[in-house]
Amino acid sequence: MRSAKSALALAGIAALFLQGCDDVSAVDAVQRGDGEGAIELAEFPDRPYWGDTHLHTDNSVDAFGFGVRLGPEDALRFASGEAIAATTGTQAKLARPLDFLVIADHSDGLGATRRLYDAPRLGVMAQGDETLLRWYDMMHESPEQSQLAIAELITAAANGTLPEALTDPEAAEENTREIWDSHLDILDRYNRPGVFTAFAGFEYTLMPGGNNLHRVVMFRDASDRTKQVLPYPGLSTTPEGLWDYMAAYARNTGGKALAIPHNSNLSNGLMFEMTMPDGSPMTAAYAAKRAAAEPVVEVTQIKGDSETHPFLSPNDEMAGFGVAGWELGNLPLTARATPDMLGGSYVREALKRGLSLEEQLGVNPYAFGMVGSTDSHTALATGDEDNFWGKHTGNEADITDRAMTPQNLGTREGRFGWNYLAGGYAAAWARGNTRAEIFDAFARREVYATTGPRMSVRVFGGFDFSEQDWDGDWVRKGYTEGVPMGGELVAGGKAPGFLIAALKDPDGANLDRVQIVKGWLDANGDLQERVYDAVWSDMDARPRTGGRVPAVGDTVDRSDATYTNDIGASELRSFWTDPDYREGQRAFYYVRVLEIPTPRWTLFDAVRFGITLSEEAMADAVAQERAYTSPIWLKPAS
């Protein structure tokens, strides 16, 4: 009886929010497919394709409650370059379209808040749940009250106290099937091989005690396969259950899926543990299962940067980017972070931990590549500082005081608008723009992250490279005699060498420097790390002093949020050899590229709205945007 009543009360008028773009007959077989054989492919990956693998629409339980009224079709139109009206009514448009998009609405409660909002009040009252009715009334009272209701909902989800009507499995399955199938049809309509790729996906939202263990699941396949499953729920399951779901999908359909962990910085150390979830020693089987399911991690997004933390990397002068506010604790700040938790919360330390676990188990659970994305809950995949549309509708671009308003989703304490980054993007080196080609780039880890700018970054590792390779077809040599980012090298009796090339965003800032970040397991079994400056702008005028490269300078005018490219370089190249290599060393190397200082979105807001930022926010209003490549791993010959 409870199941039937829940379905009746919360189903509402679901047809209203299923998108109007359902005419499957208008979709040809090429659009419905994975792109194999659809377009001519390059011999080798010839360019980075830009996308967002983590975007939410009004089908997400929290996004709708925060106020967004844009659905998947709006998100796809916007990402592919069209101008659309944002929820607040302002015209929004990307300066440059994206190449691909994963709409990753939360699997738990898919469309639930919209069904609740659209349901008759008498039906909600019939549930006999005071909390549910109060949230219903708050959502109808005002946008501000609706945001508070969703903040409460997030905290309730973290604490396991959601109303029964929102967790009823029978009602949820029926509603999810209707939304999911319609969504997949929309993706096929907007999928155009060679032009724009629309991926199926969802967000798995496990959050024990408020500690973020979220993943985005991304499918390679078209709807003939993805319609055979439903998104896997997160709130009452485990990551291992998700990996089993993915393996079963591959086994039963012949398709492929991968998971992308994100916001490890909000996990209070749980994302990258050295043990099993119950505290027992990690097993090789568990490590192998995780490595197979999760080849890539989201290292940067709106809710902060998860590369590293100054506490973990005290000798890295660039380690504090995107940390402020997010280092305080878990997502709803129901539990504060302590220093001992940081190692399990940041990607560089996880990469190091993976080396140690591989030495013990023979398999590395944390051998992942890196991407960035937005995690925007506005249906607008914007990652640019001068075109930031906010985390959610409550802080979209026309909200004048959003930089200084408390933004923490749970307690409303400790985090402010200026702590949000403008977002991030994923870059995939692929032979063409199709579902198959871009997914396969993710699977082999030939991907990299940026904090928004679209700089081109490439790295190859090997044992037979030299400076003279730049004079020939160095890309061909990189692929035929070495490995690209994401690859593995087996020790060749000498130090590995790396061909590294970085080109500025054609519409963005010059480059400051290119760095190599190395992590390794030393002879004593201790984990080490070091950051090397491989090449930088104006090297003759900026010689190392005390082992460090001097700051590039700062051309940002704080009064009008402008900068000039009078400093830095448009392109940087280097052949770099590890000076600290020791035979038998187990190590990883990834490239970090830094731009010159540029204004953050907060400074653009201050100038546009004439507001005064706090001293803290002003000190953070200029930053060096960056890119992180996937690592190249070095393994002992044995």
Side-chain angles (χ1 to χ4, degrees):
M1 175 66 74
R2 176 177 61 81
S3 175
K5 188 163 65 172
S6 298
L8 178 64
L10 293 183
I13 43 177
L16 288 180
F17 65 91
L18 295 177
Q19 303 299 316
C21 190
D22 294 299
D23 184 6
V24 183
S25 63
V27 182
D28 62 35
V30 173
Q31 288 175 277
R32 288 200 194 98
D34 60 16
E36 289 190 356
I39 63 172
E40 185 177 352
L41 301 176
E43 181 182 6
F44 302 112
D46 60 345
R47 54 156 287 197
Y49 289 90
W50 293 95
D52 184 0
T53 59
H54 190 174
L55 182 71
H56 294 268
T57 73
D58 64 0
N59 281 333
S60 277
V61 63
D62 52 353
F64 184 87
F66 285 138
V68 70
R69 297 297 182 265
L70 302 181
E73 189 170 358
D74 300 302
L76 290 159
R77 289 173 51 215
F78 180 80
S80 58
E82 290 188 40
I84 68 169
T87 296
T88 52
T90 308
Q91 281 289 106
K93 190 176 188 297
L94 288 173
R96 294 167 287 181
L98 294 176
D99 298 307
F100 63 91
L101 181 68
V102 181
I103 296 175
D105 286 314
H106 296 288
S107 60
D108 292 287
L110 190 68
T113 42
R114 184 155 192 171
R115 291 194 301 276
L116 174 62
Y117 184 89
D118 288 340
R121 192 172 189 275
L122 286 175
V124 180
M125 291 175 64
Q127 295 293 304
D129 190 302
E130 293 182 2
T131 299
L132 197 67
L133 182 61
R134 182 165 54 81
W135 289 347
Y136 176 91
D137 288 339
M138 292 171 72
M139 289 172 65
H140 283 268
E141 181 178 335
S142 68
E144 294 76 20
Q145 285 299 305
S146 182
Q147 291 161 29
L148 289 175
I150 296 308
E152 290 185 18
L153 186 151
I154 291 171
T155 302
N159 295 333
T161 57
L162 283 172
E164 285 187 1
L166 294 181
T167 58
D168 184 289
E170 293 179 30
E173 182 172 345
E174 179 182 347
N175 292 316
T176 297
R177 170 57 68 191
E178 190 173 14
I179 296 170
W180 179 245
D181 286 356
S182 175
H183 174 66
L184 295 174
D185 289 339
I186 293 168
L187 294 176
D188 284 348
R189 286 200 61 180
Y190 282 87
N191 185 56
R192 291 170 290 163
V195 179
F196 181 81
T197 296
F199 285 101
F202 64 87
E203 180 170 348
Y204 167 83
T205 317
L206 179 63
M207 196 165 57
N211 299 317
N212 186 93
L213 293 178
H214 299 187
R215 275 93 166 155
V216 166
V217 174
M218 175 180 176
F219 293 94
R220 185 183 193 264
D221 312 299
S223 58
D224 61 331
R225 286 174 169 153
T226 52
K227 281 186 178 180
Q228 298 180 44
V229 295
L230 288 175
Y232 188 74
L235 290 179
S236 58
T237 61
T238 65
E240 193 166 8
L242 173 68
W243 307 332
D244 289 341
Y245 158 90
M246 294 163 59
Y249 168 79
R251 186 170 58 250
N252 296 334
T253 71
K256 295 180 181 179
L258 57 83
I260 308 172
H262 69 86
N263 278 125
S264 56
N265 59 334
L266 300 175
S267 71
N268 275 358
L270 297 186
M271 186 67 85
F272 305 124
E273 295 181 287
M274 291 290 286
T275 65
M276 299 289 282
D278 64 3
S280 62
M282 187 179 292
T283 66
Y286 181 89
K289 186 181 286 188
R290 178 163 187 166
E294 300 181 353
V296 174
V297 68
E298 183 183 297
V299 69
T300 192
Q301 61 134 278
I302 287 177
K303 298 197 302 294
D305 193 276
S306 300
E307 185 216 4
T308 192
H309 187 283
F311 179 84
L312 301 170
S313 304
N315 296 322
D316 181 357
E317 58 189 323
M318 304 294 182
F321 179 84
V323 166
W326 309 109
E327 63 184 340
L328 297 176
N330 62 12
L331 180 58
L333 271 183
T334 54
R336 295 278 173 159
T338 56
D340 60 296
M341 297 176 178
L342 295 177
S345 296
Y346 288 87
V347 169
R348 187 188 299 176
E349 194 68 19
L351 290 167
K352 289 159 58 181
R353 288 181 169 194
L355 301 178
S356 179
L357 288 166
E358 185 178 39
E359 183 83 0
Q360 301 168 43
L361 305 174
V363 60
N364 184 346
Y366 302 137
F368 38 61
M370 290 187 268
V371 295
S373 279
T374 65
D375 195 11
S376 169
H377 284 55
T378 62
L380 306 173
T382 60
D384 300 317
E385 301 287 351
D386 61 353
N387 192 27
F388 177 54
W389 280 84
K391 165 66 176 174
H392 53 77
T393 298
N395 58 15
E396 281 193 4
D398 54 356
I399 309 298
T400 59
D401 61 346
R402 60 180 180 163
M404 298 309 303
T405 302
Q407 294 292 339
N408 182 58
L409 304 182
T411 64
R412 311 291 292 178
E413 298 174 1
R415 293 177 181 136
F416 298 88
W418 64 269
N419 296 142
Y420 283 128
L421 303 185
Y425 282 139
W429 282 102
R431 298 180 300 165
N433 189 0
T434 68
R435 286 168 170 165
E437 286 297 313
I438 292 175
F439 181 96
D440 291 350
F442 275 69
R444 68 176 181 267
R445 304 175 297 208
E446 198 173 353
V447 292
Y448 64 97
T450 83
T451 55
R454 303 191 195 185
M455 66 272 278
S456 176
V457 186
R458 199 157 213 175
V459 57
F460 294 99
F463 300 103
D464 297 310
F465 298 149
S466 71
E467 193 71 39
Q468 286 66 48
D469 289 327
W470 296 119
D471 297 328
D473 189 347
W474 60 274
V475 171
R476 176 176 294 277
K477 183 165 185 177
Y479 279 112
T480 58
E481 299 185 29
V483 298
M485 64 180 75
E488 297 180 353
L489 294 170
V490 176
K494 61 180 180 179
F498 299 87
L499 293 170
I500 310 164
L503 186 66
K504 72 179 284 291
D505 182 332
D507 294 342
N510 276 347
L511 306 179
D512 168 18
R513 67 187 72 187
V514 172
Q515 299 177 308
I516 288 276
V517 178
K518 177 187 178 184
W520 73 97
L521 193 65
D522 69 17
N524 297 319
D526 296 324
L527 293 169
Q528 308 290 346
E529 69 172 65
R530 184 171 176 182
V531 179
Y532 302 84
D533 290 304
V535 61
W536 57 96
S537 62
D538 302 313
M539 293 181 72
D540 292 339
R542 298 168 64 201
R544 283 192 179 94
T545 303
R548 293 186 181 275
V549 173
V552 67
D554 183 349
T555 67
V556 176
D557 186 336
R558 271 70 172 171
S559 68
D560 61 4
T562 61
Y563 71 95
T564 66
N565 274 328
D566 297 333
I567 58 175
S570 60
E571 182 177 14
L572 292 171
R573 284 185 176 185
S574 176
F575 167 66
W576 183 87
T577 303
D578 182 359
D580 298 316
Y581 168 76
R582 298 293 181 270
E583 190 171 349
Q585 202 169 78
R586 191 181 298 277
F588 64 79
Y589 305 83
Y590 67 85
V591 173
R592 183 172 67 184
V593 180
L594 301 177
E595 286 188 343
I596 64 172
T598 52
R600 290 191 61 222
W601 69 267
T602 51
L603 191 58
F604 284 111
D605 269 22
V607 171
R608 182 159 55 111
F609 297 125
I611 62 172
T612 300
L613 299 177
S614 69
E615 185 176 345
E616 272 188 305
M618 194 64 192
D620 195 58
V622 172
Q624 289 187 260
E625 304 277 359
R626 54 201 63 199
Y628 310 112
T629 71
S630 294
I632 292 174
W633 285 265
L634 176 67
K635 298 189 174 186
S638 58

